[in-house]
Amino acid sequence: MTGPCLFARPRRSRRGAALTLVFVSVLATGAAAGTWEESGPPSGERRISGRAASEADRVHRTQRAGRHAAGPHTDGSGAADDVVSRSGDRWSTAFSAREYEDFEQELNGEYVGVGLWLRQAADGRALVSRVRPGSPAAAAGLRAGDDLRAVDGVPSRGSQVTEVVARLRGGAGPAAGGPEPGAGSGVALELRRGTRQWTETLRRARLRDQNVITDRPDGPDGPTRIKVGAFSSGTGEEVRRAVRAASPRGGVLLDLRGNTGGLVREAVTAASAFLDGGLVATYDVRGSQRALYAKDGGNTQIPLAVLVDGGTMSAGELLAGALQDRGRAVLVGSPTFGKGSVQLPSELPDGSVAELTVGHYRTPSGRGVDDRGITPDLLAADDAPARARTVLSGLGGGA
């Protein structure tokens, strides 16, 4: 079973923006131990409104509260539900054995779906914002701008986009007690494009997250933009490779906006791309103080600006806070979400898993993140990317 990890996901017994922060099993003392304009945080009214979500986002728990309401413990999480309910812990989460197994697979960067990113229009419609290349949706000819009117007969208009995504992935669940759809299962989509309306039945497939996207929008000598949507297995090393390939003249624009968190070891590995060893964060587990350190040999010279916003959470905040405190980067954007509590999973006799808060982490300077977030050095809204480029130019980067 995965040990403490660092992720954002909704609690079973509450709807809304409850997010869970868990640290992975390699969190020993001193050891280096969440697309992306189209993808938002995994759940909740506070973070999904006005943003888009993808099947790759961690939304597979979004409908658990609704399923639980249909009857007590119908999904095999009875003991964990009881523990979570008694705890009064707003960040706690209950899993059935199967749900936890699925979640561990997602930590490895995999999910079951059809390859659609969605956004919610002002009138409540669920619109396709991006189609994953090579996915079932791409093979069927779906494209950005298509209106997804219903999934398996359930209308999409007016529903939170995370609920629509959960239905696409099969996470909304069948009748109480039945098996959830998996790879190879069919899902019927009712679509509209202009005046054309049709129904398309797709087969879900096991897909892998694309959590790191790298480009150079201003040309080969301009800044290298590294967009990190979440920290699943391998993400940290992808960031390190991107930094090694970056133009030293242009600098790096590290985009953590909408980052949904993930494995803290991957966030520490990403920090190691920019640091030559040293402290990344401290945390406590039931009163025992521990620390996380970067590896030696990172690029400490390349100019670095980091974009953050209210959707930057958990492991994303840990990374941003470390780079800010160490004087390694200038943070640009808006204050981050504020999720800095540590949960540990416990397997119960019925096989279910309960995660409860056992401590909190702090940035290298000792700042707490929970309910506070990280305040950028330069506050900016819609013009944040342009402001960040200006900052890079002042640091010696830019075309």
Side-chain angles (χ1 to χ4, degrees), residues 224-286:
T224 298
R225 180 172 56 188
I226 305 174
K227 180 72 172 174
V228 185
F231 289 99
S232 60
S233 182
T235 298
E237 190 54 44
E238 286 187 63
V239 172
R240 295 185 70 183
R241 287 196 296 269
V243 173
R244 287 195 291 266
S247 166
R249 178 182 173 188
V252 169
L253 180 59
L254 180 62
D255 193 346
L256 299 179
R257 292 174 298 170
N259 185 288
T260 57
L263 298 171
V264 83
R265 71 183 182 208
E266 300 296 338
V268 173
T269 299
S272 300
F274 303 103
L275 301 171
D276 187 16
L279 188 64
V280 173
T282 60
Y283 66 101
D284 60 278
V285 176
R286 300 189 180 99

Short mmCIF file of all heavy atoms in Angstrom, two decimals, residues 224-286:
data_model
loop_
_atom_site.label_atom_id
_atom_site.label_comp_id
_atom_site.label_asym_id
_atom_site.label_seq_id
_atom_site.Cartn_x
_atom_site.Cartn_y
_atom_site.Cartn_z
N THR A 224 12.01 28.68 -22.35
CA THR A 224 11.42 27.35 -22.43
C THR A 224 10.29 27.29 -21.43
O THR A 224 10.50 27.48 -20.23
CB THR A 224 12.46 26.27 -22.10
OG1 THR A 224 13.52 26.33 -23.07
CG2 THR A 224 11.82 24.88 -22.13
N ARG A 225 9.08 27.05 -21.92
CA ARG A 225 7.92 26.95 -21.03
C ARG A 225 7.71 25.48 -20.67
O ARG A 225 7.57 24.64 -21.54
CB ARG A 225 6.68 27.52 -21.70
CG ARG A 225 5.42 27.47 -20.84
CD ARG A 225 4.28 28.22 -21.48
NE ARG A 225 3.99 27.73 -22.82
CZ ARG A 225 3.14 28.31 -23.66
NH1 ARG A 225 2.54 29.44 -23.32
NH2 ARG A 225 2.92 27.80 -24.86
N ILE A 226 7.69 25.20 -19.38
CA ILE A 226 7.46 23.84 -18.89
C ILE A 226 6.17 23.85 -18.08
O ILE A 226 6.11 24.42 -16.99
CB ILE A 226 8.63 23.34 -18.02
CG1 ILE A 226 9.96 23.44 -18.78
CG2 ILE A 226 8.38 21.91 -17.55
CD1 ILE A 226 11.18 23.11 -17.94
N LYS A 227 5.13 23.26 -18.63
CA LYS A 227 3.82 23.21 -17.98
C LYS A 227 3.70 21.88 -17.25
O LYS A 227 3.81 20.82 -17.86
CB LYS A 227 2.72 23.35 -19.03
CG LYS A 227 1.31 23.30 -18.47
CD LYS A 227 0.97 24.55 -17.72
CE LYS A 227 -0.51 24.58 -17.35
NZ LYS A 227 -0.85 25.72 -16.48
N VAL A 228 3.46 21.92 -15.94
CA VAL A 228 3.33 20.71 -15.13
C VAL A 228 1.92 20.68 -14.55
O VAL A 228 1.57 21.50 -13.72
CB VAL A 228 4.38 20.66 -14.01
CG1 VAL A 228 4.30 19.32 -13.27
CG2 VAL A 228 5.79 20.87 -14.57
N GLY A 229 1.12 19.69 -15.00
CA GLY A 229 -0.27 19.62 -14.56
C GLY A 229 -0.46 18.86 -13.27
O GLY A 229 -1.40 19.13 -12.52
N ALA A 230 0.40 17.89 -12.98
CA ALA A 230 0.31 17.09 -11.77
C ALA A 230 1.62 16.32 -11.62
O ALA A 230 2.41 16.23 -12.56
CB ALA A 230 -0.88 16.13 -11.82
N PHE A 231 1.84 15.77 -10.43
CA PHE A 231 3.08 15.05 -10.16
C PHE A 231 2.81 13.57 -9.97
O PHE A 231 2.75 13.07 -8.85
CB PHE A 231 3.77 15.63 -8.92
CG PHE A 231 4.35 17.00 -9.15
CD1 PHE A 231 3.67 18.13 -8.74
CD2 PHE A 231 5.56 17.14 -9.79
CE1 PHE A 231 4.20 19.38 -8.96
CE2 PHE A 231 6.10 18.40 -10.03
CZ PHE A 231 5.42 19.53 -9.60
N SER A 232 2.64 12.85 -11.08
CA SER A 232 2.54 11.40 -11.02
C SER A 232 3.93 10.82 -11.25
O SER A 232 4.90 11.54 -11.45
CB SER A 232 1.54 10.88 -12.05
OG SER A 232 1.94 11.24 -13.36
N SER A 233 4.02 9.50 -11.23
CA SER A 233 5.31 8.84 -11.33
C SER A 233 6.05 9.24 -12.61
O SER A 233 5.49 9.17 -13.70
CB SER A 233 5.10 7.31 -11.30
OG SER A 233 6.32 6.63 -11.35
N GLY A 234 7.29 9.67 -12.47
CA GLY A 234 8.11 10.05 -13.62
C GLY A 234 8.08 11.52 -13.97
O GLY A 234 8.90 11.97 -14.77
N THR A 235 7.16 12.28 -13.37
CA THR A 235 7.02 13.69 -13.73
C THR A 235 8.27 14.48 -13.39
O THR A 235 8.73 15.33 -14.16
CB THR A 235 5.81 14.31 -13.02
OG1 THR A 235 4.62 13.65 -13.45
CG2 THR A 235 5.68 15.79 -13.33
N GLY A 236 8.85 14.23 -12.21
CA GLY A 236 10.03 14.99 -11.80
C GLY A 236 11.18 14.83 -12.76
O GLY A 236 11.87 15.81 -13.11
N GLU A 237 11.41 13.61 -13.22
CA GLU A 237 12.50 13.38 -14.17
C GLU A 237 12.20 14.03 -15.52
O GLU A 237 13.13 14.51 -16.20
CB GLU A 237 12.74 11.88 -14.34
CG GLU A 237 14.01 11.54 -15.11
CD GLU A 237 15.25 12.18 -14.54
OE1 GLU A 237 15.43 12.18 -13.30
OE2 GLU A 237 16.06 12.71 -15.34
N GLU A 238 10.93 14.08 -15.92
CA GLU A 238 10.57 14.78 -17.15
C GLU A 238 10.93 16.26 -17.05
O GLU A 238 11.42 16.86 -18.01
CB GLU A 238 9.08 14.62 -17.45
CG GLU A 238 8.66 13.26 -17.95
CD GLU A 238 7.21 13.26 -18.38
OE1 GLU A 238 6.88 14.00 -19.33
OE2 GLU A 238 6.40 12.54 -17.77
N VAL A 239 10.67 16.84 -15.89
CA VAL A 239 11.02 18.25 -15.68
C VAL A 239 12.53 18.43 -15.77
O VAL A 239 13.04 19.37 -16.41
CB VAL A 239 10.49 18.75 -14.33
CG1 VAL A 239 11.01 20.16 -14.03
CG2 VAL A 239 8.96 18.75 -14.32
N ARG A 240 13.29 17.53 -15.16
CA ARG A 240 14.75 17.63 -15.19
C ARG A 240 15.27 17.56 -16.63
O ARG A 240 16.18 18.30 -17.01
CB ARG A 240 15.37 16.55 -14.32
CG ARG A 240 15.05 16.69 -12.84
CD ARG A 240 15.79 15.66 -12.01
NE ARG A 240 17.20 15.94 -11.96
CZ ARG A 240 18.10 15.17 -11.35
NH1 ARG A 240 17.71 14.04 -10.78
NH2 ARG A 240 19.37 15.49 -11.33
N ARG A 241 14.70 16.65 -17.42
CA ARG A 241 15.13 16.54 -18.82
C ARG A 241 14.81 17.82 -19.58
O ARG A 241 15.61 18.29 -20.40
CB ARG A 241 14.46 15.34 -19.49
CG ARG A 241 15.01 13.99 -19.05
CD ARG A 241 14.61 12.90 -20.03
NE ARG A 241 13.16 12.71 -20.05
CZ ARG A 241 12.51 11.85 -19.28
NH1 ARG A 241 13.18 11.10 -18.41
NH2 ARG A 241 11.21 11.71 -19.37
N ALA A 242 13.64 18.39 -19.30
CA ALA A 242 13.26 19.63 -20.00
C ALA A 242 14.19 20.77 -19.63
O ALA A 242 14.53 21.60 -20.49
CB ALA A 242 11.81 19.98 -19.65
N VAL A 243 14.62 20.83 -18.39
CA VAL A 243 15.53 21.90 -17.97
C VAL A 243 16.89 21.71 -18.63
O VAL A 243 17.52 22.68 -19.08
CB VAL A 243 15.66 21.92 -16.44
CG1 VAL A 243 16.74 22.91 -16.00
CG2 VAL A 243 14.32 22.29 -15.80
N ARG A 244 17.36 20.47 -18.71
CA ARG A 244 18.66 20.23 -19.36
C ARG A 244 18.62 20.63 -20.83
O ARG A 244 19.65 21.05 -21.39
CB ARG A 244 19.04 18.75 -19.21
CG ARG A 244 19.49 18.37 -17.81
CD ARG A 244 20.19 17.03 -17.80
NE ARG A 244 19.26 15.93 -18.08
CZ ARG A 244 18.66 15.22 -17.14
NH1 ARG A 244 18.86 15.49 -15.85
NH2 ARG A 244 17.85 14.23 -17.46
N ALA A 245 17.46 20.51 -21.47
CA ALA A 245 17.34 20.85 -22.89
C ALA A 245 17.01 22.32 -23.13
O ALA A 245 17.00 22.77 -24.27
CB ALA A 245 16.25 19.98 -23.54
N ALA A 246 16.75 23.07 -22.06
CA ALA A 246 16.33 24.46 -22.20
C ALA A 246 17.49 25.34 -22.67
O ALA A 246 18.66 25.09 -22.36
CB ALA A 246 15.79 24.98 -20.88
N SER A 247 17.15 26.40 -23.39
CA SER A 247 18.15 27.37 -23.83
C SER A 247 18.61 28.19 -22.63
O SER A 247 17.79 28.83 -21.97
CB SER A 247 17.56 28.30 -24.88
OG SER A 247 18.38 29.43 -25.07
N PRO A 248 19.89 28.18 -22.30
CA PRO A 248 20.36 28.97 -21.16
C PRO A 248 20.15 30.46 -21.37
O PRO A 248 20.03 31.23 -20.41
CB PRO A 248 21.85 28.62 -21.08
CG PRO A 248 22.22 28.13 -22.44
CD PRO A 248 20.99 27.45 -22.97
N ARG A 249 20.09 30.87 -22.61
CA ARG A 249 19.88 32.28 -22.92
C ARG A 249 18.44 32.69 -22.64
O ARG A 249 18.18 33.79 -22.15
CB ARG A 249 20.22 32.53 -24.39
CG ARG A 249 19.98 33.96 -24.83
CD ARG A 249 20.30 34.13 -26.30
NE ARG A 249 19.91 35.44 -26.79
CZ ARG A 249 19.94 35.81 -28.06
NH1 ARG A 249 20.37 34.94 -28.97
NH2 ARG A 249 19.58 37.02 -28.43
N GLY A 250 17.50 31.82 -22.93
CA GLY A 250 16.10 32.19 -22.80
C GLY A 250 15.52 32.03 -21.41
O GLY A 250 14.55 32.68 -21.05
N GLY A 251 16.10 31.14 -20.60
CA GLY A 251 15.55 30.90 -19.28
C GLY A 251 14.37 29.94 -19.31
O GLY A 251 14.00 29.42 -20.37
N VAL A 252 13.80 29.71 -18.15
CA VAL A 252 12.69 28.76 -18.00
C VAL A 252 11.48 29.45 -17.38
O VAL A 252 11.61 30.19 -16.38
CB VAL A 252 13.10 27.56 -17.12
CG1 VAL A 252 11.88 26.72 -16.73
CG2 VAL A 252 14.12 26.69 -17.85
N LEU A 253 10.33 29.21 -17.97
CA LEU A 253 9.05 29.63 -17.41
C LEU A 253 8.35 28.36 -16.93
O LEU A 253 7.85 27.58 -17.74
CB LEU A 253 8.22 30.35 -18.47
CG LEU A 253 6.84 30.86 -18.02
CD1 LEU A 253 6.97 31.84 -16.87
CD2 LEU A 253 6.12 31.53 -19.19
N LEU A 254 8.36 28.12 -15.63
CA LEU A 254 7.76 26.93 -15.05
C LEU A 254 6.31 27.24 -14.70
O LEU A 254 6.03 28.04 -13.82
CB LEU A 254 8.53 26.50 -13.80
CG LEU A 254 8.03 25.25 -13.07
CD1 LEU A 254 8.11 24.02 -13.96
CD2 LEU A 254 8.80 25.05 -11.77
N ASP A 255 5.38 26.62 -15.41
CA ASP A 255 3.96 26.93 -15.28
C ASP A 255 3.30 25.89 -14.37
O ASP A 255 3.06 24.75 -14.77
CB ASP A 255 3.31 26.94 -16.66
CG ASP A 255 1.91 27.56 -16.64
OD1 ASP A 255 1.35 27.72 -15.53
OD2 ASP A 255 1.38 27.86 -17.72
N LEU A 256 2.98 26.29 -13.14
CA LEU A 256 2.31 25.42 -12.18
C LEU A 256 0.85 25.81 -11.97
O LEU A 256 0.22 25.33 -11.03
CB LEU A 256 3.06 25.45 -10.83
CG LEU A 256 4.51 24.98 -10.85
CD1 LEU A 256 5.11 25.09 -9.45
CD2 LEU A 256 4.61 23.55 -11.36
N ARG A 257 0.31 26.63 -12.83
CA ARG A 257 -1.10 27.01 -12.68
C ARG A 257 -1.99 25.78 -12.88
O ARG A 257 -1.78 25.00 -13.80
CB ARG A 257 -1.46 28.09 -13.71
CG ARG A 257 -0.80 29.43 -13.46
CD ARG A 257 -1.09 30.41 -14.58
NE ARG A 257 -0.56 29.92 -15.86
CZ ARG A 257 -0.83 30.48 -17.03
NH1 ARG A 257 -1.62 31.55 -17.10
NH2 ARG A 257 -0.31 29.99 -18.13
N GLY A 258 -2.95 25.61 -11.99
CA GLY A 258 -3.85 24.48 -12.09
C GLY A 258 -3.21 23.16 -11.72
O GLY A 258 -3.83 22.11 -11.93
N ASN A 259 -2.02 23.17 -11.15
CA ASN A 259 -1.36 21.92 -10.79
C ASN A 259 -2.10 21.25 -9.64
O ASN A 259 -2.29 21.85 -8.57
CB ASN A 259 0.09 22.19 -10.39
CG ASN A 259 0.88 20.93 -10.12
OD1 ASN A 259 0.67 20.26 -9.12
ND2 ASN A 259 1.79 20.60 -11.02
N THR A 260 -2.52 20.00 -9.85
CA THR A 260 -3.38 19.32 -8.88
C THR A 260 -2.64 18.55 -7.81
O THR A 260 -3.25 17.83 -7.03
CB THR A 260 -4.33 18.35 -9.62
OG1 THR A 260 -3.56 17.41 -10.38
CG2 THR A 260 -5.27 19.10 -10.53
N GLY A 261 -1.32 18.68 -7.76
CA GLY A 261 -0.56 17.96 -6.74
C GLY A 261 -0.10 16.62 -7.24
O GLY A 261 0.02 16.37 -8.43
N GLY A 262 0.15 15.70 -6.32
CA GLY A 262 0.60 14.37 -6.69
C GLY A 262 1.62 13.82 -5.73
O GLY A 262 1.56 14.06 -4.53
N LEU A 263 2.60 13.11 -6.27
CA LEU A 263 3.61 12.46 -5.46
C LEU A 263 4.68 13.46 -5.04
O LEU A 263 5.31 14.09 -5.88
CB LEU A 263 4.25 11.32 -6.25
CG LEU A 263 3.32 10.18 -6.67
CD1 LEU A 263 4.04 9.25 -7.63
CD2 LEU A 263 2.82 9.42 -5.46
N VAL A 264 4.91 13.56 -3.74
CA VAL A 264 5.86 14.56 -3.27
C VAL A 264 7.28 14.23 -3.72
O VAL A 264 8.09 15.11 -3.94
CB VAL A 264 5.77 14.72 -1.75
CG1 VAL A 264 6.56 13.67 -1.03
CG2 VAL A 264 6.21 16.10 -1.34
N ARG A 265 7.61 12.95 -3.87
CA ARG A 265 8.96 12.61 -4.32
C ARG A 265 9.21 13.20 -5.71
O ARG A 265 10.33 13.56 -6.05
CB ARG A 265 9.15 11.09 -4.35
CG ARG A 265 8.37 10.39 -5.44
CD ARG A 265 8.52 8.89 -5.41
NE ARG A 265 7.79 8.26 -6.51
CZ ARG A 265 7.30 7.04 -6.46
NH1 ARG A 265 7.44 6.31 -5.38
NH2 ARG A 265 6.67 6.54 -7.50
N GLU A 266 8.13 13.28 -6.53
CA GLU A 266 8.28 13.83 -7.87
C GLU A 266 8.45 15.35 -7.81
O GLU A 266 9.20 15.93 -8.60
CB GLU A 266 7.09 13.46 -8.73
CG GLU A 266 6.89 11.96 -8.91
CD GLU A 266 8.04 11.29 -9.64
OE1 GLU A 266 8.78 11.98 -10.37
OE2 GLU A 266 8.22 10.06 -9.47
N ALA A 267 7.76 16.01 -6.87
CA ALA A 267 7.95 17.45 -6.71
C ALA A 267 9.36 17.75 -6.23
O ALA A 267 9.98 18.73 -6.66
CB ALA A 267 6.92 18.00 -5.71
N VAL A 268 9.91 16.91 -5.35
CA VAL A 268 11.28 17.10 -4.87
C VAL A 268 12.27 16.87 -6.01
O VAL A 268 13.25 17.60 -6.15
CB VAL A 268 11.57 16.16 -3.68
CG1 VAL A 268 13.03 16.21 -3.30
CG2 VAL A 268 10.70 16.55 -2.49
N THR A 269 12.02 15.87 -6.86
CA THR A 269 12.88 15.64 -8.01
C THR A 269 12.84 16.83 -8.96
O THR A 269 13.87 17.24 -9.51
CB THR A 269 12.46 14.36 -8.76
OG1 THR A 269 12.58 13.24 -7.88
CG2 THR A 269 13.32 14.12 -9.98
N ALA A 270 11.65 17.40 -9.14
CA ALA A 270 11.54 18.60 -9.99
C ALA A 270 12.32 19.76 -9.39
O ALA A 270 13.00 20.50 -10.11
CB ALA A 270 10.07 18.97 -10.18
N ALA A 271 12.24 19.92 -8.07
CA ALA A 271 13.01 20.98 -7.42
C ALA A 271 14.50 20.77 -7.63
O ALA A 271 15.28 21.73 -7.78
CB ALA A 271 12.68 21.01 -5.92
N SER A 272 14.92 19.51 -7.68
CA SER A 272 16.33 19.19 -7.86
C SER A 272 16.85 19.63 -9.22
O SER A 272 18.07 19.74 -9.42
CB SER A 272 16.55 17.69 -7.70
OG SER A 272 16.16 17.24 -6.41
N ALA A 273 15.95 19.88 -10.17
CA ALA A 273 16.37 20.37 -11.48
C ALA A 273 16.94 21.78 -11.40
O ALA A 273 17.73 22.19 -12.25
CB ALA A 273 15.20 20.34 -12.47
N PHE A 274 16.55 22.53 -10.35
CA PHE A 274 16.93 23.94 -10.24
C PHE A 274 17.81 24.23 -9.03
O PHE A 274 18.25 25.36 -8.85
CB PHE A 274 15.67 24.80 -10.13
CG PHE A 274 14.71 24.63 -11.27
CD1 PHE A 274 13.56 23.87 -11.13
CD2 PHE A 274 14.95 25.23 -12.50
CE1 PHE A 274 12.66 23.71 -12.17
CE2 PHE A 274 14.07 25.08 -13.56
CZ PHE A 274 12.92 24.31 -13.40
N LEU A 275 18.05 23.24 -8.18
CA LEU A 275 18.80 23.44 -6.94
C LEU A 275 20.01 22.51 -6.89
O LEU A 275 19.97 21.42 -7.46
CB LEU A 275 17.90 23.17 -5.73
CG LEU A 275 16.64 24.02 -5.59
CD1 LEU A 275 15.76 23.48 -4.47
CD2 LEU A 275 16.99 25.48 -5.34
N ASP A 276 21.02 22.92 -6.19
CA ASP A 276 22.19 22.08 -5.97
C ASP A 276 22.13 21.56 -4.53
O ASP A 276 22.88 21.98 -3.66
CB ASP A 276 23.46 22.87 -6.21
CG ASP A 276 24.72 22.00 -6.15
OD1 ASP A 276 24.58 20.75 -6.23
OD2 ASP A 276 25.81 22.55 -6.02
N GLY A 277 21.21 20.63 -4.30
CA GLY A 277 21.01 20.09 -2.96
C GLY A 277 20.29 21.08 -2.06
O GLY A 277 19.77 22.10 -2.51
N GLY A 278 20.21 20.77 -0.79
CA GLY A 278 19.60 21.67 0.17
C GLY A 278 18.14 21.34 0.45
O GLY A 278 17.52 20.48 -0.18
N LEU A 279 17.58 22.06 1.40
CA LEU A 279 16.24 21.78 1.92
C LEU A 279 15.15 22.16 0.93
O LEU A 279 15.20 23.23 0.32
CB LEU A 279 16.04 22.54 3.23
CG LEU A 279 14.78 22.25 4.03
CD1 LEU A 279 14.76 20.80 4.52
CD2 LEU A 279 14.68 23.21 5.23
N VAL A 280 14.17 21.28 0.77
CA VAL A 280 12.99 21.55 -0.04
C VAL A 280 11.77 21.80 0.84
O VAL A 280 10.97 22.70 0.59
CB VAL A 280 12.70 20.39 -1.02
CG1 VAL A 280 11.38 20.60 -1.75
CG2 VAL A 280 13.84 20.26 -2.03
N ALA A 281 11.60 21.02 1.89
CA ALA A 281 10.47 21.20 2.80
C ALA A 281 10.72 20.42 4.07
O ALA A 281 11.52 19.47 4.10
CB ALA A 281 9.17 20.72 2.14
N THR A 282 10.03 20.80 5.12
CA THR A 282 9.98 20.01 6.35
C THR A 282 8.54 19.60 6.58
O THR A 282 7.61 20.25 6.07
CB THR A 282 10.49 20.79 7.56
OG1 THR A 282 9.67 21.96 7.74
CG2 THR A 282 11.93 21.20 7.38
N TYR A 283 8.34 18.54 7.30
CA TYR A 283 6.98 18.10 7.63
C TYR A 283 7.00 17.31 8.93
O TYR A 283 8.06 16.86 9.38
CB TYR A 283 6.38 17.26 6.50
CG TYR A 283 7.05 15.94 6.27
CD1 TYR A 283 6.50 14.75 6.76
CD2 TYR A 283 8.23 15.85 5.55
CE1 TYR A 283 7.11 13.53 6.53
CE2 TYR A 283 8.84 14.64 5.30
CZ TYR A 283 8.28 13.48 5.81
OH TYR A 283 8.88 12.27 5.59
N ASP A 284 5.85 17.20 9.54
CA ASP A 284 5.75 16.44 10.77
C ASP A 284 4.72 15.35 10.59
O ASP A 284 3.71 15.53 9.90
CB ASP A 284 5.35 17.34 11.95
CG ASP A 284 4.02 18.03 11.72
OD1 ASP A 284 3.99 19.07 11.03
OD2 ASP A 284 2.99 17.53 12.23
N VAL A 285 4.98 14.20 11.18
CA VAL A 285 4.04 13.09 11.20
C VAL A 285 3.86 12.68 12.65
O VAL A 285 4.79 12.16 13.28
CB VAL A 285 4.55 11.91 10.35
CG1 VAL A 285 3.59 10.72 10.48
CG2 VAL A 285 4.67 12.31 8.89
N ARG A 286 2.71 13.01 13.19
CA ARG A 286 2.39 12.72 14.60
C ARG A 286 3.48 13.25 15.52
O ARG A 286 3.93 12.59 16.45
CB ARG A 286 2.17 11.22 14.81
CG ARG A 286 1.03 10.64 13.98
CD ARG A 286 0.72 9.21 14.39
NE ARG A 286 -0.38 8.69 13.59
CZ ARG A 286 -0.21 7.90 12.52
NH1 ARG A 286 1.01 7.57 12.15
NH2 ARG A 286 -1.25 7.46 11.84
#
